Amino acid sequence: MKFEPDLPRNQGRLSATEKLMTLDSNLKLLMKNSGFLPVNNSIRPEIFNSSLIMMTTVNPIQSMRQAKHEAHIIRLRLLRKAALQRDLWWKFQASRTDYSYDSARHTAFYGNGSLDIPSSSTFPVNHLMFESTLPTDEHPAPAPQRIFVLWTGDNEMSDNRKRSLDHLTENFSAEVTLVTPSNLNEWVVSTHPLHPAYEKLSLIHRSDYLRAYLAYHHGGGYVDLKSIRGDLGQLIGRINSNPALWGGGMRELGSHNVGEALGGSLPKEQRVNHSRHLWASCYAFRPKNRFTGEWLSEVERRLSYFEPLLTQNPPMDPFGASKGYPVPWFSILGNIFGPLCLKYQGHLTIDESLQWEPTNEASYR
């Protein structure tokens, strides 16, 4: 962190002495706020190693820089001293209180409270810093006029889901392909079998994995079995007509739905720029571009971590809401897909004609 003196807008007309006085005033304010202002309410000239004299006799700009640097050093010392006093206070408190770890303090709840999601992370990795471990094409092939729809369980599809499938088939100009356990092998690439953790995932998380797998290897579109207005097939044609585009889709529903990263400034950047995100339930991509390569690479890295935990704690319901199920709700889709939308937003396009018609989600299940 740098100490920036609050100089007036007409600082170019100030003399070197006046600039140093302004710096003195800023530093006093800093020390006062930190609780370290000298008793006489003045900063001793020797703090600046006679910078005031230097500024009137030597190069005033160089001397000003020197004074600013020394003010920065003082600030760092004050911060260290404040941190030491804080630690002493915490140590004092800890010596007089009991502590026990409670995971509930670090858990957020989704929906009606049936899904618990960690609100803290002990594994800080930013996947945006890494390139795809899978081969990608500098000039990706066109996206096929195909839209995938997934049903990953052997349970019967609800009537509402069936009606949505009929609606998509009738209104999308591209071919709508329903992938189920009975025909999944037709879409599995022989040189890249499904991750060993796939069969251990909840049905929802199986869908999350297959979205990345199909987008990378085959390209084309994907849509949830929901009521969507617009034509994803037309978007595929638009993507293919522009070599700079790798993908596109419906705009994210809002900042509340962004799959946020944990910690730092990235979560806020995602919320502020939520309108630049694609909705991970309605999109289309060219195959084997850098976005889909990094997407699938990161999903499979995370599944390798989760696999032994899934063996010990398998899902007991389609949504992974059972106690102990180790894969957080957004962890292999939104938390990966959303940040990638910001990283590669210059290669994506939003189709404003695609709209979701909100319904009672429970009626679809």
Side-chain angles (χ1 to χ4, degrees), residues 284-342:
F285 282 100
R286 295 173 181 264
K288 296 186 178 179
N289 62 74
R290 291 208 299 273
F291 184 112
T292 58
E294 291 181 26
W295 179 12
L296 181 56
S297 296
E298 181 62 20
V299 172
E300 294 198 326
R301 280 194 292 266
R302 296 189 185 192
L303 288 185
S304 295
Y305 169 82
F306 285 125
E307 185 183 7
L309 298 175
L310 285 164
T311 301
Q312 296 174 340
N313 304 278
M316 305 303 292
D317 60 72
F319 307 106
S322 52
K323 186 174 180 59
Y325 179 69
V327 186
W329 183 256
F330 297 111
S331 61
I332 61 171
L333 179 59
N335 293 142
I336 302 172
F337 185 91
L340 282 172
C341 286
L342 290 189

Side-chain angles (χ1 to χ4, degrees), residues 5-14 19 22 26:
D6 184 20
L7 297 175
R9 290 183 182 273
N10 64 344
Q11 58 179 316
R13 295 191 292 272
L14 293 178
K19 289 183 180 180
T22 304
N26 278 277

Side-chain angles (χ1 to χ4, degrees), residues 63-257:
S63 300
M64 188 65 188
R65 289 174 179 169
Q66 178 67 20
K68 179 181 175 181
H69 172 72
E70 293 178 8
H72 176 62
I73 297 300
I74 293 172
R75 180 178 181 274
L76 291 180
R77 289 173 182 169
L78 294 174
L79 290 175
R80 291 192 193 103
K81 189 171 182 179
L84 178 59
Q85 291 191 343
R86 180 195 62 207
D87 288 352
L88 289 173
W89 170 245
W90 284 344
K91 182 179 180 181
F92 172 79
Q93 286 184 310
S95 68
R96 283 160 174 75
T97 57
D98 295 326
Y99 171 83
S100 61
Y101 175 79
D102 182 0
S103 61
R105 289 198 299 267
H106 313 287
T107 302
F109 295 93
Y110 180 78
N112 296 322
S114 58
L115 292 169
D116 58 307
I117 304 170
S119 58
S120 300
S121 174
T122 58
F123 189 44
V125 172
N126 183 355
H127 68 278
L128 301 183
M129 299 172 64
F130 305 107
E131 297 183 356
S132 173
T133 56
L134 300 165
T136 58
D137 296 330
E138 189 65 28
H139 303 288
Q145 282 287 342
R146 180 190 303 110
I147 298 166
F148 289 108
V149 177
L150 303 175
W151 191 257
T152 59
D154 294 319
N155 53 319
E156 185 177 357
M157 190 181 296
S158 69
D159 290 339
N160 279 332
R161 298 288 189 185
K162 291 177 181 177
R163 281 192 289 271
S164 289
L165 180 60
D166 291 339
H167 171 80
L168 298 173
T169 302
E170 293 169 2
N171 291 278
F172 282 179
S173 57
E175 176 188 355
V176 175
T177 299
L178 176 64
V179 178
T180 68
S182 63
N183 69 351
L184 175 58
N185 283 337
E186 298 176 18
W187 300 101
V188 175
V189 177
S190 59
T191 56
H192 188 170
L194 299 180
H195 194 281
Y198 175 78
E199 294 292 342
K200 303 174 184 179
L201 292 168
S202 69
L203 299 185
I204 293 293
H205 281 141
R206 290 183 191 180
S207 172
D208 291 352
Y209 171 71
L210 288 179
R211 295 182 211 197
Y213 185 93
L214 296 172
Y216 169 76
H217 283 292
H218 301 289
Y222 167 84
V223 66
D224 275 358
L225 272 171
K226 297 176 180 176
S227 184
I228 302 291
R229 295 197 305 268
D231 184 1
L232 198 53
Q234 289 186 4
L235 173 63
I236 292 175
R238 202 167 93 210
I239 293 170
N240 290 338
S241 66
N242 186 344
L245 291 178
W246 298 343
M250 180 177 152
R251 191 185 303 279
E252 178 58 271
L253 300 179
S255 62
H256 67 283
N257 201 54

